[in-house]
């Protein structure tokens, strides 16, 4: 069957009706742009996705990269596809013109990259990590480092990674062992091992620039003693040409359940005296610098999860319309023609849940992209600070909610196809496997929940939390005088539950054992995430309702009615779940806390 990658109509709705991308052209940075240039970028991404990534996704999944002890081998079609995306400018779509970038708003770039993520899955991770790496060096590196490393990455000559995880530390970065020793020339010699380094080695680019967390000899213990270093795979001469191979060795490849388009590597630094590394910024501030890249990567992970859910939904929707099987319960005539399976109520249930999860998650990620752009380009300092505060608070939700509910959506896509969904004749089982990594990397769901409850919630006098509630209340107020007063009231009641739960937890964190209070932090993350997604569905409903007041073509009326129905589903079936989570949180349920190791 032939299925669309994504819904073009929904991309346009999100970009121009929900988030008003056209309004960004009033900002000096985007004055050269228009709806036409935005759409040109999106159409280019869609073309590349359809021509280069969709045709090879099954082959990429079935033929994983191999390592013969000396070098990595992968199917040549990956380089052809990645080069096409690089040549079209998607490694630097948001970068300044001086770096060869398109200087697109992050919001528009996210919409364009949605096609590449949906079609290329983690193969596009090579470009995404490179862009995030370059962005970090731009913000925290010296002018010389920007010239030497960022420009080649923005042009696609070099690739970039982040190298944090160690086998003995995992997510516990305070315990990392990789060391850095100063050299006479001002550089450092890096020694240690890193694992799970996405894109850590390959031959898609001339060079790979690793950003490596390490501890300088004599640095304080814990996270306060971590520094960040630029460690290239191949050393670069003063004139920009490549020199000799650095002391960075590929120790092996990890073969994954999904996401097989991007290598996952174990790297050894300094097996022969120490890899040459260059300190980025100030010593002992490495983790704060790396969080610049990690936060960008977390929004990226959420977006990939949402896009993978969207393309699975689109595929199962197209399949359900074309697959004929069975008859409605009200039809007792065995000689009548079978109906398309979308006519069965249970199939529509699964499709509607997918629509609510995937389109809600995508709206959340685009909101994150808009806020990331606003904090740098909004026209007033007040607006920039507000956007920064709200994005910082929402980042754990942007990362985790799509990552948790994206795979749930993909699981439902498999169920819609039935037995055909469980075999690799159709890609929906691959989408699920690809998406299953997203709740793990760049900070697990559990880590995000601790970040939200213990750190982001009380930070700066609860500024992020209060800002988020204020934004939600604006749309509740706007909806109360419309036909959407019912859903607005449902959301208002949910916000009240969220507030009382939050107040209870803040009090408990001051008076109860902190381990007990945080034992159910994932429930708080789930709860807050559901309220935020319900808010974004109310916003989509408001836009849809306003649009339906005009005379429209029937296809547009159907589109907007679908938005309203998905909003209704989320309000009626998903939002009430917060009451259970609230009950457990308010009572400080100790089920997990009290469980003993020996009882398992």
């Amino acid at each position: 069957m032939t299925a669309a990658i994504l819904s073009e109509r929904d991309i346009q709705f999100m970009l121009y009706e929900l988030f008003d991308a056209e309004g960004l052209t009033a900002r000096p940075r985007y004055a050269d742009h228009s709806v036409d240039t935005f759409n040109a970028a999106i159409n280019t991404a869609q073309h590349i996705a359809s021509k280069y990534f969709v045709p090879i996704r099954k082959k990429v999944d079935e033929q994983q990269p191999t390592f013969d002890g000396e070098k990595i081998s992968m199917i040549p079609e990956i380089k052809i596809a990645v080069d096409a995306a690089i040549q079209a400018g998607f490694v630097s779509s948001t970068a300044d013109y001086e770096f060869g970038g398109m200087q697109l708003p992050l919001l528009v770039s996210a919409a364009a990259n949605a096609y590449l993520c949906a079609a290329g899955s983690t193969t596009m991770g090579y470009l995404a990590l490179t862009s995030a790496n370059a962005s970090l060096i731009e913000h925290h590196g010296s002018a010389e480092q920007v010239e030497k490393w960022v420009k080649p990455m923005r042009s696609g000559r070099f690739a970039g990674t982040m190298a944090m995880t160690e086998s003995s530390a995992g997510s516990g970065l305070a315990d990392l062992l990789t060391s850095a020793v100063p050299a006479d020339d001002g550089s450092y010699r890096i020694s240690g091992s890193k694992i799970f380094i996405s894109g850590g080695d390959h031959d898609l680019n001339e060079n790979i620039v690793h950003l490596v967390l390490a501890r300088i000899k004599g640095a304080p213990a814990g996270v306060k003693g971590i520094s960040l270093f630029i460690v290239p795979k191949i050393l670069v001469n003063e004139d920009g040409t490549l020199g000799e191979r650095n002391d960075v060795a590929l120790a092996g490849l990890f073969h994954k359940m999904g996401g097989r388009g991007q290598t996952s590597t174990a790297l050894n630094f300094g097996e022969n005296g120490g890899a040459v590394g260059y300190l980025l910024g100030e010593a002992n501030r490495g983790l704060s610098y790396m969080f610049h890249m990690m936060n960008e990567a977390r929004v990226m992970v959420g977006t990939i999860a949402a896009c993978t859910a969207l393309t699975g939904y689109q595929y199962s929707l197209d399949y359900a319309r074309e697959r004929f099987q069975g008859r409605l319960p009200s039809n007792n005539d065995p000689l009548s023609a079978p109906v398309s399976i979308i006519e069965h109520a249970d199939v529509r249930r699964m499709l509607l849940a997918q629509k609510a999860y995937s389109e809600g998650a995508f709206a959340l990620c685009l909101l994150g992209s808009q806020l990331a752009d606003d904090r740098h380009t909004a026209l007033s300092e007040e607006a920039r600070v507000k956007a920064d505060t709200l994005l910082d608070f929402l980042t754990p939700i942007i990362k985790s909610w799509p990552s948790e509910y994206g795979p749930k959506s993909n699981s439902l896509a498999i169920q819609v196809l039935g037995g055909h969904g469980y075999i690799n004749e159709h890609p929906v089982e691959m989408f699920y496997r690809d998406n299953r990594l997203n709740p793990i990397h760049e900070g697990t769901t559990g880590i995000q929940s601790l970040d939200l409850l213990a750190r982001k919630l009380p930070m700066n006098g609860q500024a992020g939390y209060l800002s988020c509630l204020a934004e939600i209340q604006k749309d509740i107020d706007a909806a109360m005088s419309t036909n959407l007063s019912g859903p607005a009231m449902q959301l208002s009641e949910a916000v009240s539950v969220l507030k009382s739960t939050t107040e209870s937890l803040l009090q408990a964190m001051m008076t109860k054992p902190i381990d007990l209070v945080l034992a159910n932090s994932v429930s708080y993350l789930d709860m807050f995430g559901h309220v935020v997604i319900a808010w974004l569905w109310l916003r989509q409903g408001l836009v849809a309702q306003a649009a339906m007041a005009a005379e429209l073509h029937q296809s547009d009326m159907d589109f907007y009615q679908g938005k309203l129905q998905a909003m209704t589903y989320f309000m009626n079936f998903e939002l009430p779940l917060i009451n259970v989570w609230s009950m457990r949180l308010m009572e400080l349920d100790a089920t997990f806390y009290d469980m003993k190791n020996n009882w398992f």
Side-chain angles (χ1 to χ4, degrees), residues 397-420:
I397 299 172
I398 295 172
K399 193 276 176 184
S400 61
W401 202 95
S403 297
E404 288 291 337
Y405 287 87
K408 287 181 172 64
S409 180
N410 290 128
S411 178
L412 287 169
I414 294 172
Q415 193 73 13
V416 168
L417 269 68
H420 288 282

Side-chain angles (χ1 to χ4, degrees), residues 306-345:
C307 292
T308 306
L310 281 170
T311 198
Y313 161 59
Q314 188 64 52
Y315 194 95
S316 64
L317 174 62
D318 291 340
Y319 179 92
R321 286 170 169 164
E322 295 180 11
R323 170 72 167 170
F324 287 82
Q325 182 175 303
R327 296 160 187 84
L328 298 180
S330 58
N331 183 358
N332 296 319
D333 183 2
L335 299 179
S336 62
V339 298
S340 60
I341 62 172
I342 200 170
E343 297 301 323
H344 298 295

